[in-house]
Amino acid sequence: VGALLLTNIVGNQGSGPAPGMELTAAWPKRVVHRTSELLAAVRDAPRSRIAHIEICGRLELAEPLILDRPVVLVGSASRDASGSGSELCGAAGLPSVVVVAPGGEAAALWQLTLRLPNSTGARAGASCIDIIAGSPTLVDCELVARGQGTASSSSRNSNASRRGQHIVPTHAARVFGSGVAPLFAGCALQGAAGAGILVDSGASASLLQCEISGNQQGGVFLGEGTSVRLEACEVSRNGHFGVVLGHGASRAYLGRTNLSANTAGSIWHTGASPDLDQASHAKLDQQPLWLDECSLSGAGIARKAVTAPAIVIG
């Protein structure tokens, strides 16, 4: 019921909920203004029922926020003097800002911004949010890898590479694990050094009315055994392809989605892995890529006078 209520208010982030559509529930509620208060509120939340935590202002996190119980994190309706809403900002070098872990399968984030800066030195990837359990819901959230997708950040990346430093592939969101199936509604996934959303290891994801843009390594990447559903989304201005179905990806459904100005093209379906046996190939053939009322266009590459393809198979 909570997810249905939340998805009905997609698009009202800028002006607040529509009259009569405010988030109201008989859940235990705490309002937090400091990072220490947020950590205590999550730690003290009951495991047997949903807890409502309202976040006010910008909170800096020195370690990932682990959601291992059914909490709903809600951005405050009030904004600061600069007009900014509620934000959770991870320190450079963190693997993630928020982790949805076992116990937090029913967690939700509503009208929050998650920010994670690019960093060097670490060998593993990073993301604004890691979802490794359940079917959490994110509504009207912004997932931003701060400083990516700009000329200045590209210059910094080049300088770091020349100095022999490893640039961490920071993704806006990572989803992995069999049975994990989050819903993103009215969210923006943008500015990552990696992909907008990386789905791997048997997980799936549904995105409704989301914007996936300005991510240097592509918009959506599907790993082995995964699936995705995009409905009424905007996938544009990403480096690489807008959507990539990697070896062994299960299926993808794109409905009323616009894919445009992605550097390499709109969609790349790599096909089945050459290591799969004949039976596995046959199974994959029965789960195709579906496109329903979508708009696909490649990006022009001025220097080479080449237009990127809409779809590449194989």
Side-chain angles (χ1 to χ4, degrees):
V1 176
L4 292 176
L5 168 64
L6 292 174
T7 56
N8 281 337
I9 58 171
V10 170
N12 291 313
Q13 183 173 3
S15 57
M21 294 302 296
E22 294 84 359
L23 180 63
T24 58
W27 301 329
K29 178 180 177 179
R30 291 179 66 171
V31 179
V32 301
H33 297 82
R34 299 180 180 86
T35 301
S36 58
E37 295 174 346
L38 172 61
L39 297 176
V42 173
R43 183 188 63 238
D44 298 339
R47 294 184 181 274
S48 59
R49 57 178 177 170
I50 294 175
H52 178 185
I53 301 173
E54 182 176 322
I55 298 172
C56 299
R58 175 189 175 106
L59 304 185
E60 301 280 350
L61 296 171
E63 59 185 22
L65 177 64
I66 309 298
L67 302 183
D68 58 357
R69 53 203 69 204
V71 296
V72 177
L73 303 183
V74 180
S76 174
S78 61
R79 296 178 177 268
D80 60 22
S82 65
S84 299
S86 301
E87 298 186 1
L88 297 179
C89 304
L94 285 187
S96 56
V97 180
V98 173
V99 178
V100 179
E105 290 85 353
L109 283 72
W110 185 47
Q111 292 192 332
L112 283 174
T113 296
L114 306 183
R115 294 187 185 274
L116 186 65
N118 187 38
S119 62
T120 61
R123 291 295 171 183
S127 66
C128 294
I129 185 168
D130 278 338
I131 301 175
I132 60 175
S135 302
T137 301
L138 286 82
V139 178
D140 279 357
C141 292
E142 292 185 56
L143 311 180
V144 183
R146 186 170 51 205
Q148 300 305 318
T150 64
S152 58
S153 68
S154 297
S155 176
R156 286 193 298 270
N157 289 351
S158 297
N159 291 336
S161 297
R162 283 195 293 269
R163 292 193 300 269
Q165 294 177 313
H166 175 72
I167 302 298
V168 176
T170 306
H171 311 288
R174 291 188 297 191
V175 182
F176 48 96
S178 178
V180 178
L183 166 67
F184 298 80
C187 295
L189 296 83
Q190 57 191 17
I197 179 169
L198 172 65
V199 187
D200 204 0
S201 303
S204 64
S206 297
L207 295 94
L208 168 66
Q209 295 182 6
C210 291
E211 177 185 351
I212 306 169
S213 63
N215 303 290
Q216 294 180 11
Q217 294 183 8
V220 179
F221 183 89
L222 301 182
E224 186 168 354
T226 63
S227 63
V228 71
R229 182 184 184 96
L230 274 65
E231 184 69 42
C233 292
E234 179 79 20
V235 184
S236 62
R237 304 183 308 282
N238 296 288
H240 205 247
F241 285 85
V243 176
V244 176
L245 283 75
H247 289 313
S250 178
R251 60 188 178 274
Y253 171 86
L254 283 65
R256 297 179 298 163
T257 289
N258 176 53
L259 297 99
S260 62
N262 298 292
T263 302
S266 294
I267 300 172
W268 180 19
H269 194 320
T270 65
S273 170
D275 297 330
L276 292 179
D277 57 28
Q278 186 174 357
S280 298
H281 274 280
K283 183 178 180 181
L284 287 174
D285 291 341
Q286 297 171 6
Q287 300 176 335
L289 164 67
W290 288 90
L291 301 175
D292 183 13
E293 297 185 27
C294 294
S295 172
L296 288 76
S297 60
I301 304 175
R303 292 182 180 178
K304 298 183 180 179
V306 174
T307 298
I311 301 178
V312 175
I313 305 294

